[in-house]
Amino acid sequence: MNLEELWGLTLNEMEIQLSRASFATWLKQSRLVDRKDGTFFVALPNHFAKEWVENKYHKNILGAVRNFDSSAKKIEFVVRAEAAKAAPERITAEALEKFENRIDLSYQVDPQSNLNSRYTLDTFVVGPSNEMVYAAATAIVEEIGTKYNPFFVYGGVGLGKTHLIQAIGNAIRERHHGKLRPLYVSSERFTSDVVWALRNKRIEDIKKKYRNCDVLIVDDIQFIGGKEKTMEEFFHTFNALYENNKQIIISSDRPPQSLATLEDRLRSRFEGGLIADIGYPEYEMRLAIVRGKLQERRHELSDEIVDLIARRAKKNIRELEGIMNKIIFCEEMKKGPLDRAEVEDVINKSLKNFSQPVTDYQILKAVADFYSVNPEDLARRNRKKEVVEPRQVAMYLLRDILEMSYPYIGKKMGRDHTTAIHAIEKISQEINKNTSLTQKINLIKDLIYKA
Ligand code: ADP
Ligand code: MG
């Protein structure tokens, strides 16, 4: 009897002994991979399954095998990942949510200031995409209310706005031992407070609450656009605080001039201070963020896996973190490290959940739209000056976002691969020196990812 037949019979036997769920969970993906001197080697897809089966079913399996091959003396369990990628499959949204809540529970929200202890300047990784907002943040902690007031930070989803502005509040609280009172509020919360106060004729309560702080931090201000009463109340709050040299910090998903439904008088208040943007993190920064979060979570991943995560999760830091959490969660379930294929599997599934994959057409279209040029001109052999930069940026993004090969990019753009290499290297170097180019690329990525 060959191994496969023998194992087939054994499994039939086990199927009778076990409940259907147990059998499906633990044994369906097992295989008999070898037999030597009376020792039979059974492969299971992961460490978790191995441990479980070893502890629970060792005797039954040995007994069943002996029915068909009396030379069997011993069963050894081994892990063969290719047996199946079972662990990632088993994560349900609910289980993952529980896991993530457990992480959240290890932090505290201070009831007076609404600040969450997880957001600190120490854990905020700094790189080219956010060094300006970081510098401003540290300056504000040193000179509250006078230097950069208001401080307006904007950027796409999941790029660190909330982290940064809460971290400023936490740093101030720490430094002044509670003598200065920061107050963090989302603009939705501010809105609902105003609505409540109007309905209950308690507008004085609102005034007291929001004018009694030393630092007012308002997150996602874009949501108050179009809400007349809320904007009005916010305008008065703003003025009252500002006149008293209290610090005001605001975040938004776009710059003040693009907040279409915001009153002009509010917009010009915002423009009176410092406006800075947070951009998309580049590879080194993503790498540093993964390492930092692993330390926070007290979990280890191999360099290879860390690199893989940082290379694949580019869209924003929230996505990066979500993927890491899933991998950590799977490893905890499995009680052992995932192999590369399993990690790839988790990443692919997560990216699918987060968004449709970006296509090369989307990239070219976004670049063309941004520069107001014809998309065909990007790939046409002409030397028009106005398409030189767009074309180079397009090649850079094809590489950065889609990791296309140089020859492929060259072909796509009607050039050879050396031209592609040259263009991509040029843009990569420029980005480190030229902030206006970095901003352009950020805006183009906004177009691509929000499409
Ligand atoms: P936003 O408010 O811009 O949508 P968040 O501040 O909520 O984004 O950031 C999303 C996640 O990414 C948070 O968990 C945050 O801690 C993390 N994060 C963002 N920027 C950084 C950074 N520079 N260093 C470390 N973690 C970051
Ligand atoms: Mg936020």
Side-chain angles (χ1 to χ4, degrees):
M1 215 184 305
N2 69 25
L3 293 176
E4 214 168 303
E5 285 163 350
L6 174 58
W7 195 240
L9 292 169
T10 306
L11 286 184
N12 285 343
E13 179 67 34
M14 292 302 296
E15 204 170 358
I16 301 165
Q17 295 185 22
L18 266 53
S19 75
R20 211 161 75 194
S22 298
F23 181 80
T25 310
W26 303 116
L27 287 179
K28 215 162 173 196
Q29 291 165 345
S30 61
R31 285 180 304 136
L32 186 61
V33 287
D34 203 4
R35 90 187 116 181
K36 221 181 261 160
D37 307 329
T39 301
F40 286 61
F41 295 86
V42 174
L44 290 160
N46 56 55
H47 292 275
F48 193 32
K50 170 177 178 273
E51 219 168 286
W52 188 272
V53 172
E54 204 160 29
N55 289 332
K56 288 224 154 190
Y57 309 125
H58 191 165
K59 273 204 189 114
N60 312 47
I61 292 174
L62 181 59
V65 172
R66 265 208 194 122
N67 286 340
F68 309 106
D69 185 337
S70 54
S71 74
K73 290 196 188 69
K74 210 172 127 198
I75 305 282
E76 288 248 343
F77 295 94
V78 296
V79 175
R80 290 282 160 86
E82 78 271 29
K85 297 184 181 82
E89 225 79 74
R90 275 204 311 278
I91 51 172
T92 61
E94 200 186 347
L96 186 66
E97 200 181 310
K98 272 204 193 122
F99 173 77
E100 291 189 326
N101 285 342
R102 210 178 74 210
I103 299 173
D104 286 342
L105 285 177
S106 58
Y107 300 99
Q108 284 162 359
V109 177
D110 170 58
Q112 246 115 51
S113 62
N114 288 332
L115 291 167
N116 188 321
S117 64
R118 75 183 287 176
Y119 300 117
T120 66
L121 289 175
D122 288 342
T123 53
F124 190 77
V125 174
V126 184
S129 61
N130 64 7
E131 58 191 352
M132 176 148 164
V133 293
Y134 179 79
T138 49
I140 287 169
V141 176
E142 298 292 328
E143 280 181 64
I144 299 161
T146 47
K147 189 147 191 189
Y148 298 127
N149 203 17
F151 175 42
F152 188 102
V153 46
Y154 71 91
V157 173
L159 295 179
K161 301 181 296 296
T162 298
H163 187 135
L164 182 89
I165 61 180
Q166 288 226 13
I168 300 175
N170 278 321
I172 291 172
R173 232 159 68 90
E174 194 173 309
R175 167 161 311 197
H176 296 278
H177 304 292
K179 281 196 214 82
L180 287 184
R181 286 152 309 170
L183 177 62
Y184 169 88
V185 65
S186 65
S187 75
E188 291 107 314
R189 176 65 198 271
F190 185 83
T191 304
S192 68
D193 277 0
V194 172
V195 171
W196 175 87
L198 288 172
R199 191 175 299 144
N200 297 287
K201 306 207 166 34
R202 300 276 287 274
I203 208 77
E204 285 308 312
D205 289 14
I206 292 290
K207 291 202 196 326
K208 215 156 110 198
K209 174 172 174 188
Y210 289 106
R211 295 180 196 185
N212 248 344
C213 62
D214 301 289
V215 182
L216 180 64
I217 304 170
V218 183
D219 208 353
D220 290 319
I221 196 83
Q222 71 271 11
F223 294 127
I224 75 163
K227 296 176 181 133
E228 302 293 332
K229 291 284 181 211
T230 308
M231 285 195 285
E232 174 159 358
E233 193 48 44
F234 184 71
F235 182 73
H236 294 309
T237 304
F238 185 103
N239 288 341
L241 291 170
Y242 188 78
E243 277 157 22
N244 287 307
N245 286 331
K246 307 294 189 192
Q247 179 73 46
I248 298 149
I249 299 169
I250 294 156
S251 86
S252 162
D253 68 346
R254 64 204 91 167
Q257 74 266 21
S258 309
L259 288 164
T261 54
L262 203 69
E263 285 178 307
D264 285 339
R265 57 180 185 170
L266 259 181
R267 187 173 310 121
S268 63
R269 283 286 183 276
F270 296 161
E271 283 166 351
L274 176 71
I275 299 173
D277 72 318
I278 299 195
Y280 292 89
E282 27 73 86
Y283 168 77
E284 279 79 12
M285 206 175 132
R286 299 199 298 267
L287 205 59
I289 288 171
V290 176
R291 296 223 168 95
K293 301 279 172 201
L294 283 173
Q295 242 173 18
E296 264 176 62
R297 308 256 197 288
R298 295 193 183 79
H299 192 95
E300 276 182 36
L301 291 175
S302 71
D303 286 349
E304 187 198 358
I305 300 299
V306 170
D307 166 76
L308 187 63
I309 301 170
R311 271 196 300 103
R312 296 284 313 277
K314 307 178 183 184
K315 186 168 164 186
N316 63 50
I317 299 170
R318 191 167 301 150
E319 175 188 85
L320 188 70
E321 226 179 328
I323 288 175
M324 263 184 53
N325 284 344
K326 267 190 206 165
I327 291 168
I328 295 176
F329 176 67
C330 290
E331 295 200 340
E332 284 191 3
M333 296 236 326
K334 183 179 163 180
K335 297 206 168 79
L338 300 189
D339 62 25
R340 195 188 162 94
E342 289 171 320
V343 170
E344 299 238 20
D345 199 44
V346 173
I347 295 176
N348 290 338
K349 286 209 183 90
S350 315
L351 294 181
K352 223 185 289 160
N353 287 344
F354 276 107
S355 61
Q356 295 293 319
V358 172
T359 63
D360 47 3
Y361 172 76
Q362 273 173 311
I363 294 178
L364 296 181
K365 170 123 185 12
V367 172
D369 284 352
F370 179 81
Y371 287 101
S372 302
V373 300
N374 192 334
E376 279 93 61
D377 277 348
L378 291 177
R380 202 168 279 157
R381 288 195 81 77
N382 69 32
R383 294 185 181 272
K384 268 198 239 158
K385 209 165 150 254
E386 63 269 25
V387 293
V388 173
E389 181 177 303
R391 184 181 291 140
Q392 289 177 341
V393 167
M395 291 199 243
Y396 169 81
L397 290 174
L398 288 173
R399 178 85 181 165
D400 181 46
I401 295 177
L402 296 181
E403 290 177 8
M404 286 178 164
S405 72
Y406 294 117
Y408 191 91
I409 295 171
K411 208 165 122 209
K412 180 110 213 133
M413 306 298 289
R415 302 289 188 282
D416 61 24
H417 76 282
T418 52
T419 312
I421 294 175
H422 173 76
I424 291 161
E425 279 180 354
K426 177 155 180 279
I427 297 291
S428 310
Q429 283 162 12
E430 284 273 303
I431 279 177
N432 291 322
K433 296 179 280 193
N434 179 341
T435 47
S436 91
L437 180 65
T438 312
Q439 282 178 353
K440 285 183 205 166
I441 289 179
N442 278 327
L443 290 169
I444 297 169
K445 285 187 177 176
D446 278 345
L447 290 177
I448 295 168
Y449 290 129
K450 280 183 191 155

